[in-house]
Amino acid sequence: MRAGAADAFELTRIVLRREAGTWVARAEAVWPGYVLAEPTPGLAADDLAADDLAAVGALTTAESALVRRLGGAPHVIQASQGRIEAGRLVVDFGPLVGLEPLVMKIDRHRRLAWLGSEPGRSFAVGLEVTSKS
């Protein structure tokens, strides 16, 4: 772990993949090749050296709060389940409950939801859409 980082981790998500005719839950990196870090308490981001930032991903405050809410302490984003009613997404359970307005796009074929916490920046998390009316 680099100096100045209290907790360095790779953010992972649980997604459903079809293998040999059945759907299987798999863990995969949200941002492959990137490591996220919580700074040491009392240390500002400006205090980190440039070589420290080369190995650590920089998130905005909103993205950092979203990552903490979705992944929790183990830094693993579980798959959510929901339905589409009258053209609107309703999440029944999982980390996306209450975050429906952040969902920019739903890929029902790949069972993914694209979240946009900041303009121009998005990432995918697992979402099973069970029905559409």
Side-chain angles (χ1 to χ4, degrees):
M1 183 174 358
R2 297 266 186 178
D7 180 24
F9 59 92
E10 179 180 43
L11 184 65
T12 58
R13 64 182 170 216
I14 303 297
V15 293
L16 298 170
R17 298 284 183 229
R18 193 163 178 98
E19 295 179 6
T22 61
W23 289 97
V24 179
R26 295 278 181 228
E28 62 182 38
V30 173
W31 295 296
Y34 286 89
V35 174
L36 304 177
E38 291 287 335
T40 303
L43 181 69
D46 298 338
D47 296 337
L48 293 174
D51 60 333
D52 289 335
L53 291 176
V56 178
L59 298 177
T60 65
T61 305
E63 288 173 326
S64 180
L66 182 60
V67 164
R68 274 192 228 101
R69 181 168 190 252
L70 291 173
H75 309 296
V76 177
I77 303 172
Q78 299 295 322
S80 297
Q81 184 174 346
R83 61 190 186 283
I84 298 175
E85 291 181 351
R88 299 189 64 142
L89 174 66
V90 178
V91 178
D92 296 323
F93 67 86
L96 291 180
V97 171
L99 297 177
E100 290 90 343
L102 293 179
V103 175
M104 298 174 14
K105 176 183 171 185
I106 298 171
D107 187 339
R108 293 182 66 198
H109 179 71
R110 291 191 180 127
R111 298 181 177 183
L112 293 174
W114 290 89
L115 300 180
S117 59
E118 297 285 326
R121 295 177 68 164
S122 63
F123 61 96
V125 296
L127 173 67
E128 171 78 24
V129 177
T130 57
S131 66
K132 181 177 179 181
S133 61

